[in-house]
Amino acid sequence: MSEVDLKKFFLEQVPLFASFPADKVETIVSQSRLTTYEGNEAMLETGDEARNIGIVITGHAEISVTDNTGTRTVISQLGPGDVFGVMSTLTGDRIAADVIAGNRCFVLLIPQDVFNLHILTNSKAVAYLSHKLLDRVRTLSTDMLNSQPGQPAKADDPYSLSLHTDSPGKVLALNVGISQIHFGIYDTHDLGSDVHGIIDNADPAISRVRVFVGTQVRSAERSPFPLTDLFRVIEESTRLLGDAFAFHPHDVTAVGHRVVHGGSKFASSVVITPAVIADIEALSVFAPLHNPVNVEGIREAMRQLPGVPHVAVFDTAFHQTLPPYAYLYGLPYELYKQHGIRRYGFHGSSHRYVSLKAAEVLNRPLGELEIVSCHLGIGASLCAIDHGRSVDTTMGMTPTDGLIMPSRSGSIDPAVMIHLMEHNKLSADDLSAMINTNSGLKGISGISSDIHDIEAAANDGHHRALLAHKAFCYQVRKNIGAYVAAMGGIDVLAFTGDVGETSAAVRSLACQGLGYMGIRLDEEKNRNLDRVGDYAIISADDSPVTILVITNDDERLVAWETLRAIERNALSVAMREDQAEAPIPIEISAHHVHLSQADVDKLFGPGHQLTPEHELSQPGQFACAEKVHLVGPKGRIANVRVLGPTRKETQVEIAMTEQFKVGIQPPIRESGDLANTPGITLEGPFGSTTIERGVICAQRHIHMSPEDALRFRVRDKYVVRVRVEGERELIFGDVVVRVNPAYRLAMHIDTDEGNAANIRTGMLGYIEEIQNRY
């Protein structure tokens, strides 16, 4: 840009200089510094001292802040003529946000003394800067407001994994099972005094009680008792640990209840209402042994403690992000549609906790990690957690499916069951008892369901014990490999649960032979766990994949989920009150392509510029006249629309039904999240290009401005449930909120989702609840 063009630019396109005469602008520019920043280079960084204000001449940049989870929230977009560094220069405070170049930017930096002498003396310039300052303070305040409830705020607890709350009290976690009742009592201010208890009612003639606090353990036996006496038994049992640890119902501020099966109805823990209880009872068809007993415990606890919130924490909830191709069985589709026969998965709270803890340990955002979580205990399951979402898990419609477990069979040929019914004359009850209590390690070894008994017998040369141990470890190792393939990579392998935490042999054999995947175990660390609080790192120093052992505490997880659910519920109630049913426009997003300039050149000729045909709903976005063909290993999709403007990297978005047509299986991802995604070939009129990655199925999402986010009481990356009215009213779960000052309010779903629900562009949706807050 020549000096003449530069002077004209400052006079005509920089609002700050609108009231300045030409000679004054020339003086300011001559005493300032012109500089260039490359894409992703920081112009200003949080914590810097304010020395200049900047004016963007060419290029674009973002003002953004990063929270303690590593999540970056964009406050403002900068383009030619925009200023930055205003807040710190006017207030004298250090820089409160980062300014990052989006591409190559040409910038004028005006020193503090020049700013004070020539700009602060111009009343109109000061008024303009004050207006910009007010806008950015408001946006920053919006972000801070949205980040407060339950958001990571402390360096020592970045994912809010502690149970600390501002108000003192105790959270009671209950797991009322068929033969055992587990409970945990957690003081939200004294985090080191957790009390745990197990009431074993397996023997109809006697109840055995054990209570723990720290290393203290006390045991007692008593006559069997009705559930109505549960709180009295808990109080008497905890008193064995000393009066300081005795349970007093009036101290309880919240109660969390573990519920085995939430079906497709519940994608997160929920505050219990009569309607929720009715839904849990209806879902007993999938867990006839568990859900009815869970409901008994809920009813009794609500009778004993009617004045505090009660929360249902579902084993299945975390896995509601599984895609259909991962949760469907190879059965007639009508069985799924009419009767809900599908894979649901379990141990959800444990797998979710493991993913958050792993992100905390690695000091990396959860949204960029690929994790295989191994919950190995009385029940055993693996989970593939891709960028914070469960995308596959080994358990199925019930907890019996999947891995060989201590006493459960795991996956078996269904024809085996038919054979046993026909030839061995086993009834349904006989089969249920066999596959749930007399199979797995116990069934193969003929010794025990306890992994340590198995290992001791194997060490003594017991053939069946050795065989059982090998079979168990083989299945764990096999499924780790499967999930690495499912996600296209792995950053963390984590072990939790009684077996996962206590058996070095199981961990060793599960990792054996996986070095080529980057999974390299340090056998010394594995044998001698050096725990840092509630985790230990057992991977070799040069291992690309971090291998962790994470302490499992089921009742603590229930308490943790309980506090999160209560916070979500409070936000949802306030949101509904403030919104007065504020609608969100729905838009159907067909398949399309975003191109980099390099690929534009290859497809349409060197130097070709995209041709805007019409504007899209999001400001600055447009549909182009250009179209391309997508060519996969199996087939092609012709005339796919290109959207502009160009991006740093080419991205292709197709619907689920189109995957088979081209022969690739892209993951469900947010736009721009392209790690470990498949590639494809694009054909244009000038030539073709093959991208190594970049094909996704877009996750349903809502675009919001910061003002919209404040109104809806949500934040960037929140996951919400949205009700869509119409002939076939339904609720979409797993909808990601995306907040940016440049966005206009709209929810985007793809053509498959729109067709399935008979939704048309222009229909309205309403946020029903906050599903998750990452």
Side-chain angles (χ1 to χ4, degrees):
M1 187 178 286
S2 67
E3 286 187 16
V4 173
D5 290 337
L6 195 60
K7 182 177 178 181
K8 184 178 179 182
F9 169 81
F10 284 124
L11 288 171
E12 296 180 358
Q13 297 187 43
V14 178
L16 176 63
F17 293 150
S19 60
F20 285 83
D23 59 339
K24 177 66 77 171
V25 172
E26 197 168 344
T27 299
I28 293 171
V29 172
S30 67
Q31 295 178 10
S32 302
R33 178 166 60 94
L34 291 166
T35 188
T36 303
Y37 294 92
E38 298 300 323
N40 291 325
E41 186 176 356
M43 300 178 180
L44 289 176
E45 291 184 295
T46 302
D48 285 351
E49 292 183 5
R51 294 190 176 92
N52 308 283
I53 71 163
I55 300 175
V56 179
I57 301 171
T58 62
H60 65 86
E62 293 180 343
I63 301 177
S64 60
V65 293
T66 304
D67 65 18
N68 287 346
T69 71
T71 301
R72 184 171 292 276
T73 301
V74 176
I75 296 171
S76 181
Q77 302 274 2
L78 300 177
D82 287 333
V83 299
F84 59 89
V86 177
M87 186 183 301
S88 298
T89 304
L90 286 177
T91 64
D93 295 332
R94 289 183 178 270
I95 303 296
D98 300 325
V99 183
I100 309 295
N103 58 2
R104 179 176 291 179
C105 292
F106 192 39
V107 173
L108 179 73
L109 295 178
I110 304 174
Q112 179 86 53
D113 57 346
V114 176
F115 173 78
N116 293 341
L117 179 64
H118 297 293
I119 296 178
L120 285 186
T121 54
N122 183 303
S123 60
K124 291 185 178 180
V126 171
Y128 169 77
L129 290 174
S130 297
H131 178 71
K132 301 299 289 185
L133 174 63
L134 180 62
D135 282 348
R136 286 176 189 162
V137 166
R138 182 179 62 184
T139 307
L140 268 173
S141 298
T142 298
D143 180 73
M144 290 173 183
L145 176 63
N146 285 330
S147 69
Q148 282 174 359
Q151 286 299 309
K154 299 178 181 178
D156 60 349
D157 187 23
Y159 279 90
S160 292
L161 294 178
S162 80
L163 299 178
H164 179 80
T165 63
D166 292 335
S167 302
K170 292 185 178 180
V171 181
L172 172 63
L174 286 176
N175 177 7
V176 179
I178 303 166
S179 60
Q180 288 188 337
I181 298 172
H182 292 247
F183 63 86
I185 305 163
Y186 302 90
D187 191 317
T188 60
H189 272 210
D190 184 2
L191 302 181
S193 61
D194 303 345
V195 177
H196 301 260
I198 302 172
I199 303 170
D200 191 335
N201 296 314
D203 187 338
I206 194 167
S207 291
R208 294 179 172 86
V209 183
R210 282 186 299 155
V211 287
F212 317 79
V213 62
T215 57
Q216 266 196 86
V217 182
R218 297 289 184 270
S219 300
E221 294 184 351
R222 55 171 301 120
S223 58
F225 59 92
L227 197 58
T228 52
D229 287 344
L230 175 60
F231 279 25
R232 180 174 60 82
V233 172
I234 292 176
E235 187 172 353
E236 291 174 358
S237 303
T238 53
R239 199 171 294 281
L240 297 174
L241 296 167
D243 289 344
F245 301 106
F247 170 70
H248 299 291
H250 60 262
D251 292 335
V252 175
T253 55
V255 184
H257 301 266
R258 185 182 181 190
V259 178
V260 168
H261 219 301
S264 300
K265 179 75 176 180
F266 298 102
S268 59
S269 305
V270 296
V271 174
I272 296 173
T273 63
V276 169
I277 292 176
D279 287 331
I280 295 171
E281 289 180 318
L283 289 164
S284 294
V285 66
F286 296 125
L289 299 179
H290 298 90
N291 275 31
V293 179
N294 298 155
V295 168
E296 282 185 54
I298 290 171
R299 290 189 189 280
E300 181 56 32
M302 293 184 78
R303 187 184 70 81
Q304 298 265 9
L305 293 171
V308 301
H310 291 251
V311 171
V313 180
F314 299 95
D315 275 12
T316 52
F318 181 60
H319 304 298
Q320 287 305 297
T321 52
L322 263 63
Y325 57 78
Y327 68 62
L328 283 175
Y329 289 118
L331 294 169
Y333 189 69
E334 291 73 18
L335 291 175
Y336 159 64
K337 292 299 292 182
Q338 296 174 17
H339 304 291
I341 305 298
R342 50 158 284 190
R343 183 181 303 279
Y344 290 100
F346 297 87
H347 295 141
S349 295
S350 177
H351 291 306
R352 183 178 182 218
Y353 179 83
V354 162
S355 68
L356 291 166
K357 189 67 185 179
E360 179 185 279
V361 172
L362 269 66
N363 194 26
R364 291 175 60 185
L366 177 62
E368 69 179 31
L369 294 176
E370 288 164 329
I371 301 167
V372 175
S373 171
C374 306
H375 180 110
L376 309 178
I378 295 174
S381 70
L382 266 63
C383 182
I385 305 170
D386 189 359
H387 294 66
R389 302 171 67 247
S390 171
V391 295
D392 207 345
T393 189
T394 52
M395 283 181 169
M397 189 180 84
T398 75
T400 307
D401 195 10
L403 305 173
I404 289 174
M405 299 174 225
S407 63
R408 297 177 192 157
S409 64
S411 299
I412 55 174
D413 182 345
V416 170
M417 308 297 281
I418 298 172
H419 175 86
L420 291 172
M421 291 175 71
E422 291 179 347
H423 295 277
N424 293 59
K425 307 304 178 185
L426 296 184
S427 67
D429 288 343
D430 293 335
L431 290 173
S432 178
M434 180 184 71
I435 63 176
N436 283 297
T437 61
N438 296 312
S439 296
L441 293 174
K442 180 180 178 182
I444 296 175
S445 71
I447 296 173
S448 171
S449 60
D450 189 300
I451 191 68
H452 302 294
D453 293 343
I454 300 289
E455 290 178 348
N459 282 333
D460 291 338
H462 192 290
H463 171 68
R464 283 174 57 183
L466 183 61
L467 185 60
H469 197 271
K470 281 186 175 181
F472 178 75
C473 297
Y474 168 74
Q475 289 213 351
V476 175
R477 183 171 72 251
K478 178 179 71 173
N479 281 280
I480 290 170
Y483 285 170
V484 173
M487 294 187 293
I490 180 173
D491 299 294
V492 179
L493 173 63
F495 294 92
T496 192
D498 290 341
V499 177
E501 294 171 45
T502 62
S503 175
V506 167
R507 296 191 298 264
S508 177
L509 291 172
C511 295
Q512 212 166 84
L514 301 183
Y516 70 97
M517 293 181 175
I519 299 171
R520 299 173 190 159
L521 185 74
D522 185 308
E523 293 291 356
E524 178 64 25
K525 292 179 183 177
N526 183 44
R527 285 191 300 271
N528 303 292
L529 294 183
D530 183 15
R531 290 187 182 272
V532 181
D534 54 359
Y535 74 91
I537 298 175
I538 59 172
S539 45
D541 293 342
D542 64 347
S543 177
V545 175
T546 301
I547 309 173
L548 297 173
V549 177
I550 295 175
T551 302
N552 178 261
D553 182 345
D554 287 336
E555 283 66 55
R556 186 177 186 279
L557 298 182
V558 169
W560 179 76
E561 288 273 14
T562 296
L563 293 177
R564 306 285 85 73
I566 291 170
E567 291 167 352
R568 283 197 306 271
N569 186 66
L571 283 171
S572 296
V573 169
M575 177 184 66
R576 286 193 292 269
E577 290 174 351
D578 289 352
Q579 287 180 57
E581 287 285 289
I584 299 171
I586 308 293
E587 297 177 353
I588 309 295
S589 180
H591 58 216
H592 57 270
V593 174
H594 302 276
L595 294 174
S596 67
Q597 186 58 49
D599 285 332
V600 170
D601 294 345
K602 293 176 184 176
L603 294 166
F604 300 100
H608 182 86
Q609 297 297 307
L610 295 177
T611 311
E613 193 164 83
H614 62 81
E615 291 185 356
L616 300 176
S617 63
Q618 296 307 310
Q621 305 292 305
F622 53 86
C624 304
E626 289 80 4
K627 296 181 179 179
V628 297
H629 307 315
L630 305 180
V631 183
K634 181 177 178 293
R636 59 194 286 123
I637 304 173
N639 299 316
V640 177
R641 179 79 64 181
V642 175
L643 302 187
T646 56
R647 292 190 175 185
K648 181 179 179 181
E649 184 173 1
T650 293
Q651 175 177 303
V652 175
E653 297 182 29
I654 60 176
M656 283 281 188
T657 52
E658 296 171 318
Q659 297 181 12
F660 184 75
K661 188 172 183 179
V662 292
I664 58 175
Q665 292 189 349
I668 298 173
R669 290 280 181 83
E670 288 188 60
S671 180
D673 185 0
L674 306 182
N676 298 316
T677 56
I680 201 167
T681 297
L682 296 85
E683 292 180 348
F686 181 81
S688 65
T689 183
T690 298
I691 57 174
E692 296 299 319
R693 68 175 197 172
V695 185
I696 64 171
C697 286
Q699 184 170 1
R700 57 184 81 109
H701 56 275
I702 303 173
H703 292 281
M704 289 187 185
S705 68
E707 290 78 13
D708 290 326
L710 180 62
R711 180 162 56 101
F712 285 98
R713 292 178 179 256
V714 295
R715 186 177 185 237
D716 191 45
K717 304 299 183 184
Y718 273 25
V719 180
V720 298
R721 293 167 65 86
V722 178
R723 172 173 52 86
V724 181
E725 295 182 340
E727 296 174 1
R728 301 175 65 184
E729 180 173 299
L730 54 77
I731 293 177
F732 282 109
D734 202 29
V735 183
V736 175
V737 173
R738 297 169 60 183
V739 180
N740 189 295
Y743 287 161
R744 184 185 69 81
L745 184 64
M747 174 174 163
H748 285 179
I749 59 177
D750 69 21
T751 49
D752 284 356
E753 294 167 325
N755 291 337
N758 198 25
I759 293 173
R760 300 175 302 279
T761 292
M763 294 177 70
L764 301 177
Y766 301 86
I767 295 179
E768 284 285 291
E769 66 174 332
I770 296 168
Q771 185 175 325
N772 279 309
R773 294 179 293 120
Y774 293 123

